[in-house]
């Protein structure tokens, strides 16, 4: 479920004007945007943006402090009685300050004057259709998140944090098997000093340029790069593990039962290598997950796997369950991959799960299977056995080698304390 926005602050005497401005500065603004800036008694923005305004914008100039987001409510409240104009880079509602202002004031408290975004400028220069171009922002975010968007033939635009971002992106591409990718760093888009540096990721030698830049990537994998798909069931070799790994085919079936949807939160209890939580997060950029693992070595390994596979936002809690579940946010789905017989674990997960949420538990032991059979009898859901066999050499022939069968219970929690399954709904 998407997070509920906080209640809007008390209304200002005047709507706050939010003016997008580009590298072309004052000349690139519309007449309405100039009028809003000229009428403002307080002008808030980054130091670079404020310097683009002419003297006729006579309002008091206030530079954003760092960190910016916590300062927004304070500055708005401080100047509540006055006409405020806030400067933003390009389109204020596209990865810009407009979001934070709308959360504080509500949309009715704003007058937004958008300017072409750096993404629009970049697509215009490159001849790329905007609707077919994926955008990844690394402003205030780790570069590792880019890895989740790397697929052969894809075109990406990366919003840089600063002048060092292009080199960091080139290094990441090379480390993830996309060294042959073509990079173009577009600087000061729309301004008089617009420029472009070009090269191949594996051979990137350009020194840091302008801090105001966008990186265009044409993704090209190396011949030996491990191919990762968009659906659950990544190759087992994509993970670092010590054997505690939900194997590929069972993992795909497990994610199918968990059914991730945008904005939802997963608890992955008994994380092992983190594969279930990682593939849940890869399902959609807004998905969230917490992996709970009692072994510190495995917990660190989960973090490394998450970073390498492009979801560094995975929260890892080190400690035993159910004790370590206390205080975690309410989940939309729970996966239990280990420790089912720990006293109180299954009950704690069930109680924490929101109505309508899904619980999926896997086991290979008879003791845990008996526990799942008991819960299936009490709550319903689906109880299935997953068996996978692999073809292996047998002398000069080929035969089947059976993996340990996995018993899986999946159930949806009803609005009461009971549960129902999709199968039950159809009968």
């Amino acid at each position: 479920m998407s997070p509920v926005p906080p209640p809007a602050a008390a209304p200002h005497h005047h709507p706050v004007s939010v003016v997008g401005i580009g590298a072309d500065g004052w000349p690139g603004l519309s007449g309405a945007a100039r009028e809003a800036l000229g009428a403002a008694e307080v002008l808030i923005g980054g130091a670079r943006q404020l310097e683009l305004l002419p003297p006729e914008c006579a309002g008091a100039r206030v530079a954003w402090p760092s960190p910016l987001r916590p300062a927004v409510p304070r500055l708005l409240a401080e100047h509540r009685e006055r006409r405020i104009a806030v400067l933003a880079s390009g389109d204020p509602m596209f990865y810009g300050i407009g979001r934070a202002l709308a959360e504080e004031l509500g949309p009715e408290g704003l007058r937004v004057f958008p300017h072409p975004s750096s993404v629009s400028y970049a697509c215009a220069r490159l001849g790329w259709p905007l609707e077919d171009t994926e955008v990844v922002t690394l402003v205030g975010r780790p570069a590792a998140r880019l890895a989740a968007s790397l697929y052969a033939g894809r075109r990406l635009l990366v919003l840089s944090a600063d002048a060092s971002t292009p080199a960091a992106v080139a290094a990441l591409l090379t480390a993830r098997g996309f060294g042959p990718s073509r990079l173009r760093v577009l600087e000061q888009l729309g301004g008089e000093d617009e420029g472009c540096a070009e090269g191949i990721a594996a051979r990137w030698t350009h020194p840091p340029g302008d801090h105001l830049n966008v990186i265009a990537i044409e993704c090209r994998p190396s011949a030996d790069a491990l191919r990762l798909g968009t659906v659950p069931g990544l190759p087992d070799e994509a993970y670092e593990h010590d054997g505690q790994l939900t194997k590929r085919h069972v993992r795909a079936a497990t994610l199918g039962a968990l059914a991730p949807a945008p904005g939802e939160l997963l608890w992955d209890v008994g994380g092992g290598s983190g594969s279930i939580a990682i593939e849940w997060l890869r399902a959609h950029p807004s998905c969230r997950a917490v992996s709970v693992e009692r072994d510190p070595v495995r917990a660190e390994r989960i973090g490394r796997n998450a970073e390498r596979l492009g979801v560094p936002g995975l929260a890892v809690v080190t400690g035993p369950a159910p004790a370590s579940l206390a205080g975690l946010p309410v989940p939309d789905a729970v996966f239990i991959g280990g420790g089912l017989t720990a006293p109180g674990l299954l009950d704690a997960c069930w109680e924490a799960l929101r109505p309508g949420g899904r619980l999926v538990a896997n086991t290979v032991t008879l003791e845990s299977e008996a526990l799942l059979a008991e819960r299936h009898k009490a709550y319903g859901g689906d109880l299935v056995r997953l068996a996978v066999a692999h073809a292996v050499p047998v002398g000069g022939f080929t035969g089947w080698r059976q993996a340990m069968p996995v018993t899986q219970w999946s159930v949806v929690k009803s609005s009461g304390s009971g549960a129902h399954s999709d199968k039950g709904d159809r009968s």
Side-chain angles (χ1 to χ4, degrees), residues 188-411:
Q188 289 286 333
L189 283 163
E192 294 181 357
D193 298 325
E194 184 175 314
C196 178
E198 184 175 344
I200 300 301
R203 302 192 297 274
W204 189 261
T205 57
H206 294 282
D210 195 275
H211 73 281
L212 197 63
N213 71 82
V214 174
I215 308 166
I217 306 174
E218 296 178 60
C219 295
R220 299 170 184 166
S222 57
D224 58 350
L226 183 64
R227 187 182 184 280
L228 304 180
T230 60
V231 298
L234 298 183
D236 291 345
E237 53 266 37
Y239 294 94
E240 177 189 347
H241 64 91
D242 61 359
Q244 291 297 311
L245 173 73
T246 302
K247 299 301 191 291
R248 181 178 193 174
H249 299 91
V250 174
R251 192 184 328 126
T254 300
L255 267 296
L258 286 168
E264 289 190 326
L265 172 68
L266 170 75
W267 285 4
D268 177 14
V269 182
S273 302
S275 62
I276 296 295
I278 287 169
E279 297 191 27
W280 169 281
L281 291 173
R282 285 174 61 93
H284 193 273
S286 67
C287 284
R288 299 166 293 141
V290 179
S291 186
V292 180
E293 171 55 55
R294 66 179 303 153
D295 187 317
V297 174
R298 287 177 180 161
E300 290 185 7
R301 186 180 294 121
I302 290 171
R304 291 195 298 272
N305 281 331
E307 182 167 342
R308 185 168 59 255
L309 291 169
V311 287
L314 172 59
V316 182
V317 174
T318 306
S324 296
L325 305 178
L328 295 181
V330 175
D332 299 287
V334 176
F335 171 66
I336 306 175
L340 267 172
T341 56
L345 174 59
L346 194 50
D347 289 335
C349 292
W350 183 254
E351 289 301 319
L353 188 65
R354 69 164 181 82
R358 290 88 63 205
L359 185 147
V360 177
N362 290 356
T363 188
V364 295
T365 70
L366 293 175
E367 292 78 7
S368 293
E369 184 179 279
L371 180 62
L372 295 185
E374 174 190 311
R375 295 308 172 94
H376 173 255
K377 183 177 181 180
Y379 294 134
D382 287 323
L383 190 64
V384 300
R385 176 165 289 179
L386 305 172
V388 177
H390 296 271
V392 296
V394 180
F397 300 92
T398 303
W400 294 106
R401 176 172 294 165
Q402 187 79 34
M404 291 184 70
V406 175
T407 299
Q408 180 181 92
W409 179 49
S410 60
V411 64

